[in-house]
Amino acid sequence: MEFDLIEMIRQRTAQPRDDVRLGIGDDAAVLAVPPGQELAVALDTLVEGVHFPHGSAAADIGWKALAVNLSDLAAMGATPAWALLALTLPAPDADFVQGFAAGFAELAQPHRLALVGGDTTRGPLSISVVVHGFVPPGRALTRAGARVGDAVLVTGTLGDAAAGLALVLAQGQAAGVADELRPARDYLIARLNRPTPRLAAGLALRERASACIDISDGLLADLGHLCTASGVGAEIDAARLPLSSALLALHDDASALPFALGGGDDYELCFSVPPERVVEVQAGLARLGCGATRIGRIVAGSGVRVRGADGAWLTIAQHGWEHFA
Ligand code: ADP
Ligand code: MG
């Protein structure tokens, strides 16, 4: 029975690659790292009720389990190649596994990512994925390296996923949103359930950004990590934060701000570049379709400060999600 589930996963995620000498089915996968490349490896776990709402669609969970890991490779400027999947299920539910594998494969295929192994066990629903990517030696984009005077930019828009989560959690309590706001609501919930890892942007930034991180826990928290790793501080202008039209359809500027500053799960990239490179970098990322917005600057010191539209520093009540807080 468990074997059937593994076979189902294997078939649905099939991705031929020359560098996979041995994939799912033996005691271990055998993989050939291309000559002249380094491996970038990351692992993220999703637990039901913590990292995705109870009752999420299986395909969305499959997509997101891979997306959050690919986002880590994107932030390193790595090209994805292989993944391992540890699936813990309350019951051997074929429908769930089929949906999960379909969502996983939908994101894996365009990136030619091969699922090469894993583990399947029984217990409360949780999913761990390991991804492996390639990066030229010494070229990985890291959190360290931001310099005083660099500009701070983010790809895409901020706060959508957190606003989407608020909508999901409110469902059933309220009557929902008005008909004309449905597309905005659906967009925000899709940003929560099906985040887009910014892999092409990460590659484009590899030779250009001085430091980079993906936003999983919220802009303030993650930019804070970048600053700590680089030994610098940052100043952000609230009025410059890129907000989607969907977020602004449901929230005014003031109520959108906490989502954009503190909300997690957007999986956009936040990065620093020397000021003379901003225009070139923005043009490059615009061509890739995600765009990038200059939101502030790297300063001496430590920590992240936010300037309001009136020029005064803001006191932030809602920080990004912190583990075990
Ligand atoms: P073992 O007892 O040797 O660990 P398993 O029965 O756990 O063997 O796994 C059999 C094969 O199926 C292995 O190649 C393993 O990598 C793969 N596998 C198991 N679970 C998964 C999964 N959820 N996704 C992908 N491959 C899996
Ligand atoms: Mg096993």
Side-chain angles (χ1 to χ4, degrees), residues 128-262:
S128 294
V129 173
V130 176
V131 286
H132 303 73
F134 306 142
V135 67
R139 297 287 174 77
L141 193 51
T142 70
R143 297 175 180 189
R147 299 255 185 102
V148 173
D150 283 353
V152 176
L153 291 88
V154 288
T155 59
T157 57
L158 298 176
D160 296 329
L165 178 62
L167 288 166
V168 170
L169 296 179
Q171 260 165 23
Q173 292 169 23
V177 299
D179 275 357
E180 67 272 20
L181 294 177
R182 285 246 172 93
R185 183 199 62 181
D186 292 348
Y187 177 85
L188 297 176
I189 293 174
R191 287 272 288 161
L192 172 72
N193 290 334
R194 298 240 172 176
T196 305
R198 300 299 189 187
L199 285 155
L203 279 190
L205 291 172
R206 199 165 64 198
E207 310 297 333
R208 296 179 181 88
S210 51
C212 184
I213 190 167
D214 69 319
I215 303 179
S216 53
D217 295 341
L219 174 69
L220 289 180
D222 290 314
L223 177 55
H225 298 322
L226 183 152
C227 286
T228 303
S230 295
V232 296
E235 292 176 359
I236 296 305
D237 294 311
R240 288 180 181 243
L241 296 174
L243 306 177
S244 68
S245 52
L247 183 62
L248 290 173
L250 290 166
H251 295 277
D252 59 20
D253 279 356
S255 70
L257 187 63
F259 289 123
L261 288 174

Side-chain angles (χ1 to χ4, degrees), residues 2 118-120:
E2 188 185 292
D119 201 17
T120 307

